[in-house]
Amino acid sequence: MKTLFDQELADALEQLCDETSEAMRLAKESPDLDDLAACLAVAFLKLGLTTGFVEQRHPGFARDVEEKRQKVIAALTEEQKH
């Protein structure tokens, strides 16, 4: 990311990615569904913030992410049919 963005944005994104990774690590260790839901909620929030930060400086980024997400879903759905 350091080569994609200015230092301020790269630092913010790195922190958000670290926090997302930590939330996912905690999700893997969740002792119950409530805790798992809370960890995943934090991860989703951090991913949304990351996307929003990039979108502010690169309009269309969020749309691109959503298009790629839809392609992955379609590919997985197609794979399950076979």
Side-chain angles (χ1 to χ4, degrees):
M1 286 186 299
K2 291 183 186 293
T3 59
L4 294 175
F5 308 111
D6 62 47
Q7 191 62 47
E8 180 182 14
L9 183 56
D11 289 345
L13 293 177
E14 185 171 346
Q15 179 178 343
L16 283 168
C17 287
D18 289 347
E19 291 169 359
T20 304
S21 295
E22 177 65 10
M24 292 306 296
R25 185 190 66 73
L26 292 171
K28 288 175 25 178
E29 299 173 5
S30 294
D32 56 47
L33 286 177
D34 189 54
D35 191 62
L36 175 61
C39 291
L40 292 177
V42 170
F44 284 135
L45 173 66
K46 298 299 180 174
L47 289 170
L49 289 171
T50 302
T51 302
F53 279 162
V54 177
E55 177 72 21
Q56 288 176 8
R57 303 223 180 128
H58 300 278
F61 180 76
R63 182 184 66 243
D64 187 43
V65 169
E66 179 57 23
E67 288 171 0
K68 287 176 173 51
R69 187 181 79 85
Q70 291 297 324
K71 286 180 182 179
V72 170
I73 290 170
L76 291 173
T77 302
E78 185 63 30
E79 185 178 295
Q80 289 179 353
K81 289 180 183 179
H82 297 292

